[in-house]
Amino acid sequence: MTKKTKGESYASITGENMLFERVKSLDHILELAQRKGLKRQLGAFDLTMLGIGAIIGTGIFVLTSVAAEKAGPGMMYSFVISGFVCALTALVYSEIAAMVPVAGSAYTYSYAVFGELIAWMVGWALILEYAIAAAAVAVGWSGYINGFLHEIGYGLPLFLTAGPFDTVLLAGDTTPGATTATTSAGGFNILAFLVSLLVTLLLITGTGKSAKFTALLVIVKIVALAAFIVLALPAVNSVNFEPMLPNGWGTPFSGVGVLGAAASIFFAYVGFDAVSTAAEETKNPNRNVPIGLIGSLTVCTLIYLVVAYAAVGAVGSQPGGELSLSKEPLAFVLREVGYPTVGNWVASAAIIALPSVVLMMIYGQTRVLFTMSRDGLMPAVFSHIHPRFHTPHVVTLVTGAAVALFAALFPVGTLADISNSGTLFAFFMVALGVMVLRRREPGRHRPFRTPMIWLVGPTAMAGCALLFVSLGWGTIRLFLAWATIGLILYFGYARRRSHLANPQAIN
């Protein structure tokens, strides 16, 4: 057993096994957040709007085409599977987020349950979830604005509309369902790059302003999706659902079929996790965090199912078809069913509103890195607070610059799958952690208790594991490489600088 020193009273170090040593108690995590925390200024409505703002975005506006390529009309089942797994995870998240209303999300929860090494790996995985997700959303946004500019005759050179690992549509038959389109590699996605930097500057100016800005954009997105549903539903034709499963259900590691599409469009739901990262800036978090989590996910799930049904039924969604190739699928559907002007308006709504999702993803990332810095695992400068704006400006700027670069280079489908790998790992650990806490600290006050935890928890873990292996070998290999780099950095840098190893560093 490691001997405690005077300055180490805020944490407990338990066990000699390296895997589970340096476990921080929940009480002291809360104490530290109160001494060196962020301003509480968000209410239940703010959190729900932030959650909806983070969830509704690239997943439904853009990844519909990615799902169509992998599963065809079977993506309807994919939305249900992903939504079900996310609903179970949200119930688990609600319990621990209400118990530990501090910044850091799954990273902080893992620190309290499993110890520093696992917490570091979860935090490292969350970089994939948030930073890469923000880049994916920025790329999705650029697809809509580039399509809109092309429609009105002011399109950018194709070289500037996609990254070098992405493709651009050069020519093709415009007949619905045609597959004669030709593509070429892009160069530098300039608009995705610029929107990431602009959102970063907005975040630096203050969280309160960001929340109000996001609430307005949520309304814009919901109005756009409502217009899509009203106009596309009457055009639904049962013929467009045949064959329903052109690529079958899919198999683990294949990355295609219904399961492969479900693994990709899981991205469409995971924004609810951003609500938990805002817990430290929430008024009355024990009440408001569960409301924000469950409320935002419920609203978004219902919207997704209706939108997906309308899109598939109106124009078809067979792999290789026009819908699967489109970078602005919802606008494309409306143009195909005879509403080109409304299609442009929906594209405009996406152009206006999707930056709010970029904002929330970068927001979530900065709060995780802020907390890791506060624990000594990341450079101390990451937890510096701006004297005027009261935001972690340094880490926000660094994160925003990295997001902008990834957005400029990579395609949305690739970024979404990589992001999902980190998310699914983190969600798996949270579900396990909540069950461990039920056993370890059964008497601790729980403002929200996950119903049927011994059924919900294992099922959520199984669902996350199934979707993870359904991402395909390519994405899994990238995740394992990222995890290896994380382990090297932990033992080479973070472990020695941790405040649990150097309690005198606490101030």
Side-chain angles (χ1 to χ4, degrees), residues 78 124 159 165 183 218 223 332 382 399 411 417:
S78 303
W124 189 247
F159 179 83
F165 302 101
T183 60
V218 167
V223 169
F332 166 79
F382 280 9
T399 299
D417 283 355

Side-chain angles (χ1 to χ4, degrees), residues 307-432:
V307 169
Y309 174 79
V312 172
V315 301
S317 60
Q318 296 301 323
E322 288 278 308
L323 181 63
S324 67
L325 294 173
S326 176
K327 294 183 182 295
E328 43 171 355
L330 299 192
F332 166 79
V333 169
L334 290 177
R335 290 170 188 147
E336 290 296 295
V337 298
Y339 298 99
T341 301
V342 181
N344 288 338
W345 279 110
V346 169
S348 299
I351 291 167
I352 294 171
L354 285 183
S356 70
V357 189
V358 181
L359 182 150
M360 278 312 304
M361 292 299 137
I362 295 178
Y363 173 94
Q365 180 65 84
T366 59
R367 270 45 182 184
V368 172
L369 293 177
F370 170 86
T371 307
M372 294 178 75
S373 171
R374 194 166 61 184
D375 291 333
L377 300 179
M378 286 285 179
V381 70
F382 280 9
S383 56
H384 286 182
I385 302 297
H386 194 282
R388 176 183 174 188
F389 301 126
H390 307 289
T391 57
H393 58 295
V394 176
V395 71
T396 300
L397 186 59
V398 171
T399 299
V403 167
L405 185 60
F406 274 98
L409 301 178
F410 295 96
V412 63
T414 299
L415 291 170
D417 283 355
I418 294 173
S419 172
N420 285 345
S421 68
T423 304
L424 290 165
F425 173 75
F427 285 2
F428 182 95
M429 297 307 300
V430 169
L432 179 60

Side-chain angles (χ1 to χ4, degrees), residues 94-176:
S94 294
E95 175 169 324
I96 197 160
M99 289 173 63
V100 193
V102 300
S105 183
Y107 159 76
T108 298
Y109 311 151
S110 297
Y111 218 148
V113 180
F114 302 112
E116 186 174 276
L117 175 58
I118 299 298
W120 166 269
M121 292 308 298
V122 170
W124 189 247
L126 289 178
I127 295 176
L128 295 182
E129 175 180 348
Y130 287 116
I132 302 301
V137 177
V139 175
W141 174 85
S142 74
Y144 270 91
I145 191 169
N146 281 315
F148 179 79
L149 292 174
H150 177 75
E151 284 288 319
I152 63 176
Y154 293 97
L156 294 174
L158 294 179
F159 179 83
L160 295 177
T161 62
F165 302 101
D166 201 353
T167 57
V168 293
L169 185 65
L170 295 177
D173 185 352
T174 58
T175 304

Side-chain angles (χ1 to χ4, degrees), residues 231-315:
L231 296 178
L233 271 180
V236 169
N237 189 331
S238 61
V239 174
N240 290 325
F241 291 92
E242 299 295 337
M244 188 69 178
L245 303 175
N247 290 331
W249 285 94
T251 57
F253 309 111
S254 68
V256 297
V258 171
L259 289 177
S264 291
I265 61 177
F266 187 76
F267 183 88
Y269 290 95
V270 298
F272 78 83
D273 183 32
V275 174
S276 68
T277 69
E280 190 170 326
E281 295 166 87
T282 301
K283 295 177 289 187
N284 192 10
N286 292 347
R287 168 185 176 273
N288 293 335
V289 169
I291 291 175
L293 282 166
I294 297 175
S296 60
L297 187 65
T298 300
V299 171
C300 294
T301 300
L302 294 175
I303 293 174
Y304 280 6
L305 290 176
V306 179
V307 169
Y309 174 79
V312 172
V315 301

Side-chain angles (χ1 to χ4, degrees), residues 218-233:
V218 167
I219 296 172
V220 172
K221 287 189 288 188
I222 291 177
V223 169
L225 292 177
F228 175 85
I229 292 169
V230 169
L231 296 178
L233 271 180

